[in-house]
Amino acid sequence: MESRKRPREAESADVSSADGFKTPVKNASVVRQQDSDFLRWGVEDTCEYLHRQGLGEWANTFREQKITGVGLKYLSQENLEKIGIKALGDRLQILDSVRKLCQIAAEPKVFNDPIHGHVEMDPLLIKIIDTPQFQRLRYIKQLGGAYYVFPGACHNRFEHSIGVGHLAGQLVKALNERQPELHISRRDILCVQIAGLCHDLGHGPFSHMYDGMFIPKARPEIEWKHEKASLDMFDHLVRENNLEPVMKQHGLELPGDLVFIKEQIAGPPGTTASPSSKWPYEGRSRDKSFLYEIVANKRNGIDVDKWDYFARDCHHLGIQNNFDYHRFLKFARVCDVDGAKHICTRDKEVGNLYDLFHTRNCLHRRAYNHKVGKIIESMITEAFLEADPHIQIEGSGGRMFTLSTAIDDMEAYTKLTDTVFEQILNSSSPELAEARKILHNIVCRRLYKCLGQTQAEKPMKITQEILRKWASDLATSKPQSAAQDVNMKPEDFVVAVIHLDYGMKEKNPINNVRFYCKNDPTKAIQIRKNQVSKFLPECFAEQAIQVYYKKTDERSLEAAKKYFVQWCMNMNFSKPQDGDVIAPELTPLKASWSNNNEGEDGGCGMVVWWGGEHFKP
């Protein structure tokens, strides 16, 4: 078999002559990347480095002394003085540049990851990982309450963040090797990796439960997301661990690169960018716009964050992952689109991208929004609300904060993780008795019951006031057939609204993706849905309304189910799937709930996109 392989040089020559497209020579990339391999430098490489560092006046001196990369390692002030560099300032400047090289060339640390295999991390990334602020992520479950439903979903934000940092490096390095004309510097690569590593620093206990369920109820007057806390925690991490000098030693330029890192995590700074500004970012100019599409892609949602959590979550949940990010890495390249540079992929990969968003939808339906998982998160949220005034966390300056106010102080927030669950559960404080009881019910599996799921005709804007009103309406939606001696209270109902989409609300994210063809890899094109298949989704967003009931005795539960069906009728919502079973005397009363399937079997019928294949039930 070995004899059949062509030498790489010959293969490249064949490709150039076959299609007329000349592959760019990679020597520009080699120059930028060889700093980490300086021990192999010859004399001219050393002199070139001096020029890049603004020390070119000493290049001839180094050339005369035949100083190679190995020699740089042993330079001292005395040695430099002997070869004629008399000024102390010049000697210190040269030694500082050499010290940067040694930092760059330090051995990377290797993590054995179950998803990506052996992952190498740059020494600067290790400095960030080995901080209390990053290590905190070891104690925050990636999937929150889903762990109480899926026993394998025990993974944490810590390993996910390492995976995203790794994939960010893989993608930016692949682009650099494929297109050296992009002039991706080592600084760019490090900043992108740091952004991937730190993008989830702001998550609270049980991940999305904290910012999606707890904070909106505990502090409804504010709009707060974990991305904001990620920026605050990143600043706190850098400051508390004195990392700015370390970052400078590794070649970062501050504060510009810190701004760039934070822009990748949360988007452009809304307060500083003027509305008329054509380019809203400050960290990098428009010619590096593609770098903003790697960690958190605001353009179409295809980013390395999804790549990692798809692969990692599916692995731990036991669900098939239909998206192969390795193919995207192989075909990714940057093209000009409307004056900016965007990451594009091959036209033949459009089906793979629809698989990506189908996988996202499946994970939300089957795992992230599993009804029992949402019930458990609702119970944890209720326990946290009960405990909120009584949990005291010390922050900066000795000030005390609660579960809901710790987000205002990063020193206090660093101490807030999933462990607060056990803190409440194992406490003996009388003030925590009610919260302790709720968590004890979770442990003993005495959970709220799901009455059912329904949908509104059109998506609605949901507020805490609407949810409270719906709970009140449920308590008064008494059907004529209900038992007269059952008393329903609004506080016994929990209404949860679940948003399901492809990541861009009602829009098709693939419309914001650009592709290139084999014949012309430099030209970006758009591929519309009707150019791919008629079996793809027509609607890209919907809301599901789930209702839970706190009482578990059979008599109350049966009555609550009938109240729920009556409420759906009153609200003109869709018929619950088991509506004909739990309230057969009610469902025939609503004409639109008729079981007449006329019209559903005609034409194409219902079509499901499943794992890259099309099925018509």
Side-chain angles (χ1 to χ4, degrees):
M1 293 294 292
E2 290 296 324
S3 62
R4 296 173 61 186
K5 292 184 178 179
R6 294 182 298 171
R8 185 173 295 274
E9 293 78 10
E11 189 176 353
S12 300
D14 289 349
V15 171
S16 299
S17 59
D19 57 14
F21 177 74
K22 190 172 181 180
T23 304
V25 181
K26 299 181 182 178
N27 53 356
S29 171
V30 173
V31 169
R32 287 195 299 275
Q33 292 191 349
Q34 69 180 359
D35 288 0
S36 60
D37 204 20
F38 78 95
L39 293 177
R40 298 185 182 181
W41 283 358
V43 174
E44 290 307 315
D45 296 317
T46 303
C47 295
E48 185 181 342
Y49 178 73
L50 290 176
H51 281 288
R52 282 190 277 135
Q53 295 295 309
L55 300 168
E57 61 182 297
W58 304 111
N60 285 334
T61 304
F62 274 58
R63 190 176 287 110
E64 291 168 3
Q65 299 297 324
K66 297 183 179 179
I67 297 176
T68 63
V70 174
L72 289 177
K73 191 175 180 181
Y74 300 100
L75 282 182
S76 64
Q77 282 213 51
E78 292 78 11
N79 291 335
L80 291 174
E81 193 172 9
K82 285 181 181 178
I83 63 174
I85 304 175
K86 301 298 183 183
L88 176 62
D90 291 337
R91 296 200 300 271
L92 292 176
Q93 206 170 352
I94 292 171
L95 290 175
D96 181 62
S97 296
V98 172
R99 185 165 59 248
K100 286 181 184 177
L101 277 179
C102 293
Q103 290 275 1
I104 292 169
E107 281 295 316
K109 190 169 185 177
V110 178
F111 294 82
N112 188 5
D113 183 68
I115 307 303
H116 307 301
H118 290 91
V119 171
E120 289 189 355
M121 284 286 162
D122 186 273
L124 177 57
L125 304 185
I126 300 302
K127 291 286 186 181
I128 294 172
I129 292 171
D130 293 341
T131 62
Q133 293 75 23
F134 192 90
Q135 293 293 318
R136 164 183 179 271
L137 298 179
R138 289 183 183 272
Y139 311 107
I140 296 177
K141 286 283 179 289
Q142 174 83 4
L143 299 185
Y147 179 42
Y148 290 89
V149 180
F150 298 88
C154 56
H155 54 305
N156 302 301
R157 289 280 160 185
F158 178 83
E159 48 266 39
H160 165 63
S161 297
I162 289 176
V164 175
H166 164 68
L167 289 178
Q170 293 289 100
L171 179 52
V172 71
K173 289 175 184 176
L175 294 173
N176 186 38
E177 291 179 8
R178 194 167 296 128
Q179 296 174 269
E181 67 274 12
L182 295 174
H183 303 296
I184 299 173
S185 66
R186 184 175 182 276
R187 275 177 52 223
D188 294 334
I189 294 172
L190 277 177
C191 288
V192 170
Q193 287 181 299
I194 292 170
L197 196 67
C198 298
H199 78 288
D200 271 350
L201 284 176
H203 268 295
F206 296 93
S207 288
H208 288 289
M209 185 214 79
Y210 185 81
D211 65 337
M213 298 173 70
F214 173 69
I215 290 295
K217 291 184 177 181
R219 300 179 65 178
E221 73 281 1
I222 67 170
E223 289 189 12
W224 181 88
K225 293 296 182 184
H226 73 270
E227 288 87 356
K228 179 188 182 306
S230 292
L231 302 186
D232 295 340
M233 187 64 81
F234 178 70
D235 287 337
H236 180 65
L237 181 154
V238 173
R239 182 172 58 252
E240 288 297 305
N241 298 281
N242 195 28
L243 289 185
E244 286 196 6
V246 179
M247 290 176 166
K248 289 178 181 178
Q249 289 175 2
H250 282 264
L252 267 59
E253 295 180 4
L254 308 184
D257 284 343
L258 291 179
V259 171
F260 175 45
I261 291 167
K262 291 193 288 184
E263 287 176 336
Q264 291 177 79
I265 295 172
T271 54
T272 57
S274 63
S276 60
S277 174
K278 293 183 178 180
W279 181 244
Y281 294 99
E282 299 175 5
R284 290 294 185 274
S285 57
R286 184 182 288 271
D287 65 329
K288 294 285 183 76
S289 55
F290 60 92
L291 294 176
Y292 289 100
E293 300 178 358
I294 293 174
V295 174
N297 192 338
K298 309 298 183 186
R299 181 176 171 84
N300 53 48
I302 300 172
D303 51 48
V304 296
D305 180 27
K306 284 187 180 63
W307 299 1
D308 184 84
Y309 80 68
F310 284 177
R312 196 173 302 278
D313 292 354
C314 286
H315 172 81
H316 288 282
L317 289 166
I319 295 175
Q320 179 68 35
N321 178 20
N322 294 317
F323 175 70
D324 182 8
Y325 70 82
H326 295 96
R327 286 187 64 84
F328 196 99
L329 281 173
K330 291 289 185 185
F331 292 109
R333 67 179 293 114
V334 174
C335 299
D336 287 322
V337 181
D338 300 326
K341 296 181 184 296
H342 293 290
I343 298 175
C344 306
T345 189
R346 269 291 301 277
D347 49 355
K348 66 178 182 178
E349 291 303 296
V350 62
N352 195 24
L353 297 189
Y354 274 103
D355 277 348
L356 180 151
F357 290 104
H358 172 73
T359 297
R360 181 185 187 275
N361 190 41
C362 284
L363 283 169
H364 276 272
R365 290 182 181 276
R366 297 171 62 182
Y368 305 155
N369 293 305
H370 190 285
K371 64 180 181 179
V372 179
K374 300 307 288 185
I375 284 173
I376 289 171
E377 289 191 342
S378 296
M379 295 178 72
I380 297 173
T381 297
E382 189 173 334
F384 281 12
L385 290 169
E386 292 285 346
D388 190 24
H390 311 296
I391 299 287
Q392 296 293 304
I393 306 169
E394 185 176 354
S396 58
R399 293 178 298 162
M400 304 305 292
F401 297 86
T402 66
L403 295 180
S404 62
T405 60
I407 59 176
D408 300 327
D409 184 272
M410 289 300 105
E411 187 172 328
Y413 197 49
T414 302
K415 302 172 185 177
L416 185 58
T417 65
D418 291 4
T419 56
V420 71
F421 184 106
E422 281 75 27
Q423 180 185 344
I424 297 170
L425 184 64
N426 299 324
S427 70
S428 56
S429 171
E431 294 88 355
L432 295 175
E434 188 60 33
R436 186 163 56 245
K437 179 182 177 182
I438 297 170
L439 298 186
H440 185 70
N441 285 338
I442 294 174
V443 172
C444 296
R445 215 66 180 183
R446 293 191 288 266
L447 308 176
Y448 302 159
K449 301 300 180 182
C450 183
L451 299 181
Q453 179 172 305
T454 184
Q455 284 183 309
E457 285 188 354
K458 295 180 180 179
M460 304 172 63
K461 183 172 182 175
I462 305 300
T463 63
Q464 292 299 314
E465 288 76 19
I466 289 177
L467 295 179
R468 282 193 291 268
K469 184 180 184 304
W470 283 356
S472 298
D473 292 344
L474 276 158
T476 58
S477 298
K478 185 177 182 178
Q480 291 182 351
S481 59
Q484 299 299 316
D485 58 342
V486 176
N487 184 25
M488 294 290 169
K489 299 178 181 179
E491 57 266 29
D492 291 333
F493 293 93
V494 178
V495 183
V497 178
I498 297 163
H499 301 273
L500 299 165
D501 55 43
Y502 269 26
M504 296 189 70
K505 296 184 179 179
E506 70 283 351
K507 296 179 181 179
N508 179 2
I510 305 300
N511 288 341
N512 291 333
V513 180
R514 294 298 181 267
F515 301 86
Y516 66 88
C517 299
K518 185 178 182 180
N519 293 336
D520 187 359
T522 64
K523 183 179 180 181
I525 62 171
Q526 191 174 14
I527 300 179
R528 291 293 183 180
K529 183 163 64 75
N530 59 8
Q531 296 176 266
V532 182
S533 172
K534 294 186 182 296
F535 288 131
L536 296 174
E538 289 296 328
C539 177
F540 292 90
E542 65 178 7
Q543 286 177 334
I545 303 167
Q546 293 181 350
V547 177
Y548 318 131
Y549 189 61
K550 295 181 182 180
K551 293 182 179 180
T552 57
D553 63 282
E554 287 189 18
R555 184 176 174 79
S556 297
L557 190 59
E558 286 301 314
K561 289 180 179 179
K562 295 182 184 296
Y563 273 64
F564 169 65
V565 173
Q566 183 66 52
W567 177 72
C568 291
M569 295 172 66
N570 297 344
M571 298 292 294
N572 202 28
F573 289 165
S574 65
K575 180 170 70 174
Q577 289 181 356
D578 58 351
D580 291 334
V581 176
I582 62 178
E585 73 281 9
L586 294 178
T587 53
L589 301 178
K590 192 169 182 63
S592 60
W593 284 8
S594 169
N595 284 328
N596 180 10
N597 293 325
E598 187 176 335
E600 291 187 7
D601 296 328
C604 291
M606 182 180 72
V607 180
V608 181
W609 176 272
W610 187 261
E613 299 181 25
H614 307 306
F615 294 87
K616 180 178 177 181

